Amino acid sequence: MYAYLDRRVSDLAEADRFMLSAMRQWVGAARSGRCLCATLSAGFDARGVKDVLNDFGSAMAMLDRSGITRFRFAPACCRRVTDDEARLLTLFAFGRGGDPARLWSICASLVADAAVPRLHAAVETIGAVLMEDPA
């Protein structure tokens, strides 16, 4: 988490900037009642990872509905990574190639026990695709 906390968005690796933007867009769309797929589709398509849009949406929904705490996100224009955003960037970074047991532990620290297996699977799926070079 500390690798991301209070970092400037412009200093993040491309995959992390993409995930941060997607998280902020998801939250903005969900809170305003806009269509999540329509909001995120173009960005996922442009990066060549549209296949994991549903997995990302599922992961975010689990974090929203089954989260142990209520996560707070900065507006899309914010230039710094917030505390909760740093936690979720760490989650998605471990999905891109970290230790599966550590990923499980991170999932368990974020959501209720019943949601851990589904969150773990979604994050691993997203991570596998994001490890590949963008199309």
Side-chain angles (χ1 to χ4, degrees), residues 23-133:
M23 289 187 296
R24 288 176 174 179
Q25 287 180 45
W26 188 95
V27 170
R31 299 297 180 254
S32 65
R34 289 181 283 132
C35 176
L36 299 170
C37 287
T39 300
L40 296 168
S41 184
F44 276 71
D45 193 32
R47 192 167 194 283
V49 294
K50 197 167 184 173
D51 291 348
V52 295
L53 178 55
N54 288 335
D55 295 289
F56 177 77
S58 294
M60 291 300 291
M62 281 180 264
L63 290 161
D64 187 46
R65 293 185 186 115
S66 299
I68 292 172
T69 186
R70 182 177 173 119
F71 298 101
R72 300 196 186 284
F73 294 84
C77 62
C78 185
R79 294 187 172 139
R80 297 257 178 210
V81 176
T82 67
D83 182 42
D84 288 336
E85 292 169 341
R87 293 172 67 201
L88 298 186
L89 285 172
T90 300
L91 168 73
F92 288 111
F94 267 88
R96 291 193 307 268
D99 173 14
R102 179 72 175 122
L103 177 58
W104 187 274
S105 176
I106 294 168
C107 290
S109 75
L110 297 172
V111 296
D113 291 345
V116 171
R118 293 178 311 191
L119 180 60
H120 187 272
V123 170
E124 275 192 326
T125 300
I126 296 163
V129 171
L130 289 179
M131 281 179 54
E132 301 170 1
D133 289 332

